[in-house]
Structures are given as C-alpha cells and as structure tokens.
Amino acid sequence: MNTAIRNRATANRRPLHLALLLCPALLLAGCQSTAQVGSTTSGQNPQAMPPVASAQSAQPVKPVVAPAPAVTLGTPWNMPASFNGTLPCADCEGIATHLILLASHTYVLQETYLGIESHTTTQVGSWRYEDYRVLLDNPQRKLGYAVTSNHTLHQLDQDGQPIDSKQNYSLTLNQGDEDNALPLKGIFSYQGDIAVLKECSSGKVFQLTATPEALNLQNMYKKLQGKDKEALLAEVSGLLGSGDKGQDVLDIEHVQKLTTAGKCQ
C-alpha cells in the first residue's frame, strides 16, 4: 500500500530554501540545470527525476536524524501514528485502509477498493480527539473512529455511533515505521524563501525538506518559470513528518509531474 510515515528529530529538520539553488561559482560560470520535467501514465510506477547534472549545482545531503520525541496529544499513542485494516465494502471485496495521524492534527486517509476494478483514493484533512474518539473533519465526508484499546480503532457510523455488525470494522496500530512513498498532488511555490507544497484536496501546506529530489523540483520550477516564480502544479511522492515548530513537512522521494497549470484541476 502506498503510505508513508517517518519519525524524525524535530531539531534536525532542514527546510528547502531558495538559496540552495545558488552555485558556488556563480560569478565565474553561472548556474546550469539539466533537470527534465517528468511524467507518468496511469498504471506505471513513478520514476524519480534524474539528478542535476551540473557539477556546480548544490548537492544537498539528507541529514541523519534520531527518532522524533514522543508526542501523545492526550491519545493512547505517540505521534505520528498510523493504522491499517481491511474494512467491509458493499460492492467490492473490501477496503484496504491506511490512516496516518500527525502531531499537527493533519491526517491522511488512503483507501484501496479491492476487486476487479481496484482503485485508490487519498484524503487529507484535520483530525481531533475527543471522548475517546478520533474524528476526521471533512465537509464532504463525516468519518470517525472509537478508540477501543491502546492499539485499535473501530469505525463509527455517520452519526458517530458504533456500527452494530459482526463484520470487522477495526484498524490496528502499526508498531514499526512505514517507509513507502505517499503520492500527493498540490501547488508548488514559496512562502518567503521556503519551498512548500499546498495539497489540492485539503489546502494543507507541507514544507519541503532539503532532499535531492526536492532540489530537482526546485530546479525544474526555476527552468519553467524563469523570473516569474508563479505557482506550479506538482505530482510527487514522499514521506510525511513534523518540523521543529510542529509544522507538516514532506520529504520528496520522487517527482512524477510538474506543469504550468498554476492551479489544482
């Protein structure tokens, strides 16, 4: 399942700054970028963008960090937390469900409908914890889970009540780290000199850390936009985490597509 969660020490998160694009020999030769805009088609695995070929380009090193400090937010688990399970489905073989809860109260819900026409949906939004329930705030879909143990969530009905059924509506806490890339689509731009991705479905803003692929994305952005620096539509995959000030951060692992659309479609 394409899901992602990573524990990190908040003090060592390094944001991606516009200044990383500057070449050390700028006055002698100028910066050159050979990054290409990549794309994938439906049914194909996303391919990582090629590294910047210029020997003068900055070469960021992904920092080695210790596990993030435990954050509970009043819940029975440390944050971030992720849950897995296959829930009943009326017209398919089951819904493979993965729920990620971040300390910033951002959630990512990924559901894969199993069967002949299998497909996956991703939902991003805000969550809250009250009365031993995890409630997902989304105007288009009301969804919540009862905390039935320190390791289990049980899906609630549309009225926030337990589902009376012999079928299994439970999600189980993952004990280990997840390290698979989560696909996200959003607007790539800058807040000051910090590169960010504004996720299309929720408007949530993820600050980009200084990974090699994030630098490639930044170079492609510069190549496409020149001096205008307008927002671009990006399709990426990466790992979620929390920054030193509790902000949502994204470690980009692959860049699938970058277009000049400038808005979510």
Side-chain angles (χ1 to χ4, degrees):
M1 181 176 294
N2 289 330
T3 53
I5 188 169
R6 173 171 290 178
N7 291 326
R8 294 179 176 273
T10 57
N12 291 326
R13 306 294 304 223
R14 187 157 63 94
L16 179 62
H17 290 266
L18 182 61
L20 287 177
L21 282 177
L22 298 179
C23 296
L26 180 62
L27 295 179
L28 296 178
C31 295
Q32 295 181 352
S33 172
T34 59
Q36 301 294 322
V37 177
S39 63
T40 60
T41 58
S42 177
Q44 295 179 334
N45 293 327
Q47 299 295 322
M49 297 303 301
V52 180
S54 172
Q56 296 176 341
S57 298
Q59 298 296 324
V61 178
K62 198 169 185 177
V64 177
V65 296
V71 181
T72 63
L73 301 179
T75 67
W77 345 277
N78 295 333
M79 293 292 159
S82 66
F83 299 82
N84 273 338
T86 300
L87 304 182
C89 177
D91 54 2
C92 68
E93 297 177 7
I95 306 174
T97 303
H98 191 92
L99 175 65
I100 299 173
L101 304 177
L102 299 180
S104 62
H105 287 279
T106 293
Y107 77 85
V108 179
L109 177 65
Q110 203 170 50
E111 297 173 305
T112 299
Y113 292 79
L114 307 175
I116 298 177
E117 298 181 358
S118 179
H119 66 280
T120 299
T121 64
T122 301
Q123 176 181 315
V124 182
S126 298
W127 69 277
R128 50 197 168 93
Y129 181 70
E130 60 181 45
D131 298 329
Y132 301 100
R133 296 179 301 167
V134 172
L135 303 177
L136 309 185
D137 293 329
N138 188 300
Q140 299 178 349
R141 184 184 181 191
K142 187 176 181 180
L143 192 59
Y145 304 87
V147 179
T148 56
S149 76
N150 288 348
H151 303 92
T152 308
L153 300 179
H154 189 85
Q155 184 174 319
L156 302 172
D157 63 19
Q158 293 296 308
D159 296 322
Q161 300 300 316
I163 297 176
D164 185 13
S165 173
K166 294 182 179 180
Q167 294 180 296
N168 187 4
Y169 282 88
S170 295
L171 301 179
T172 303
L173 178 68
N174 292 321
Q175 300 298 323
D177 289 342
E178 298 290 327
D179 201 32
N180 296 319
L182 172 75
L184 289 175
K185 180 179 180 180
I187 299 299
F188 174 82
S189 62
Y190 288 90
Q191 291 183 349
D193 65 343
I194 302 295
V196 298
L197 186 77
K198 185 176 182 180
E199 198 271 332
C200 282
S201 65
S202 65
K204 290 281 186 180
V205 175
F206 294 88
Q207 188 178 105
L208 305 186
T209 59
T211 64
E213 282 303 311
L215 181 62
N216 286 341
L217 176 60
Q218 201 175 41
N219 282 327
M220 288 186 286
Y221 172 86
K222 183 180 180 181
K223 181 178 179 180
L224 284 175
Q225 292 302 112
K227 298 180 180 180
D228 295 336
K229 296 294 183 296
E230 295 179 359
L232 300 179
L233 181 63
E235 295 181 29
V236 303
S237 57
L239 305 173
L240 298 177
S242 298
D244 55 357
K245 297 181 180 179
Q247 72 273 29
D248 295 330
V249 296
L250 174 64
D251 297 349
I252 293 181
E253 290 197 337
H254 301 288
V255 178
Q256 287 102 287
K257 191 174 183 180
L258 183 66
T259 67
T260 56
K263 61 182 180 180
C264 293
Q265 297 177 334

